[in-house]
């Protein structure tokens, strides 16, 4: 799930999961928006908006004409910009947040797929509804049960350098800047 890195009251970076379809960035901390602002209201707003089409999700930053908003240090062309992993969003008078698409590996029921998927460790099919883990970096699915502990079998994913430690935390934080 996408999230924002925001500064908390102690000036430490914290994760704000983006569970709603729209978030107002003109306030600190950013807050979910139930209804998009009317045209006369939107001039003073900066809104992060989710667009979903099938399995694809994209996020767009919309900045009102009266709001000083920058992404990665640059003004938004025409007040609209697609947002990508690790983008810095600065709103004048409010502060800076970082957008992230990184998710944490966790055990969950495999939701199924259009075609059969095979675990890269044991080479067996991963069946719908079985306990599994999706690698947070390469998105490959692994079995993870008592009988088939494929995800935790080695220190890293079989296809990328992602740690298989379920308590590893995020690979990237704004503190690294």
């Amino acid at each position: 799930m996408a999230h924002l890195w925001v500064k908390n009251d102690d000036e430490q970076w914290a994760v704000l999961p983006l569970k709603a379809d729209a978030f107002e960035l003109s306030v600190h901390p950013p807050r979910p928006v139930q209804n998009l602002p009317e045209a006369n209201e939107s001039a003073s707003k900066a809104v992060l908006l989710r667009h979903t089409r099938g399995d694809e999700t994209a996020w767009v930053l919309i900045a009102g004409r009266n709001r000083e908003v920058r992404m990665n240090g640059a003004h938004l062309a025409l007040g609209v910009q697609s947002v990508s992993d690790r983008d810095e969003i600065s709103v004048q008078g409010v502060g800076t947040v970082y957008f992230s698409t990184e998710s944490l590996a966790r055990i969950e029921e495999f939701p199924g797929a259009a075609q059969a998927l095979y675990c890269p460790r044991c080479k067996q099919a991963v069946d719908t509804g079985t306990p599994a883990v999706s690698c947070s970096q390469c998105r490959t699915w692994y079995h993870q049960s008592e009988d088939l502990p494929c995800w935790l079998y080695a220190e890293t994913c079989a296809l990328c350098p992602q740690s298989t430690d379920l308590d590893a935390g995020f690979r990237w934080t704004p503190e690294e800047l």
Side-chain angles (χ1 to χ4, degrees):
M1 170 185 297
H3 60 274
L4 291 175
W5 285 100
V6 300
K7 289 260 180 139
N8 62 20
D9 293 338
D10 297 327
E11 291 297 307
Q12 300 295 315
W13 288 106
V15 171
L16 175 66
L18 296 176
K19 294 180 181 178
D21 289 330
F23 280 81
E24 183 179 351
L25 303 181
S26 307
V27 295
H28 181 77
R31 66 176 176 221
V33 175
Q34 299 302 324
N35 298 310
L36 291 178
E38 298 292 327
N40 60 345
E41 282 185 288
S42 64
S44 65
K45 306 282 186 194
V47 177
L48 190 60
L49 184 66
R50 178 191 351 235
H51 175 72
T52 304
R53 186 174 180 181
D55 291 341
E56 299 291 318
T57 298
W59 288 87
V60 177
L61 178 61
I62 302 170
R65 62 186 171 275
N66 296 340
R67 181 58 71 172
E68 177 73 24
V69 179
R70 293 177 177 263
M71 189 157 65
N72 301 322
H75 289 282
L76 271 62
L78 303 175
V80 178
Q81 181 70 44
S82 175
V83 183
S84 300
D85 190 41
R86 300 184 188 179
D87 276 343
E88 174 190 48
I89 303 168
S90 299
V91 179
Q92 183 179 19
V94 179
T96 299
V97 298
Y98 290 88
F99 176 83
S100 179
T101 58
E102 183 180 357
S103 60
L104 297 176
R106 61 183 168 77
I107 301 170
E108 60 185 297
E109 287 187 5
F110 176 60
Q115 59 186 14
L117 293 182
Y118 295 89
C119 175
R121 295 250 197 255
C122 70
K123 311 297 186 220
Q124 296 179 48
V126 182
D127 296 324
T128 301
T130 60
V133 173
S134 174
C135 174
S136 59
Q137 189 169 347
C138 70
R139 306 286 188 232
T140 302
W141 283 94
Y142 288 79
H143 295 106
Q144 186 51 49
S145 65
E146 235 178 80
D147 296 334
L148 293 169
C150 301
W151 176 251
L152 295 175
Y153 180 78
E155 290 183 15
T156 61
C157 171
L159 304 177
C160 74
Q162 176 63 38
S163 169
T164 57
D165 181 356
L166 292 171
D167 296 322
F170 292 103
R171 290 185 322 272
W172 180 84
T173 69
E175 293 161 346
E176 296 175 14
L177 297 176

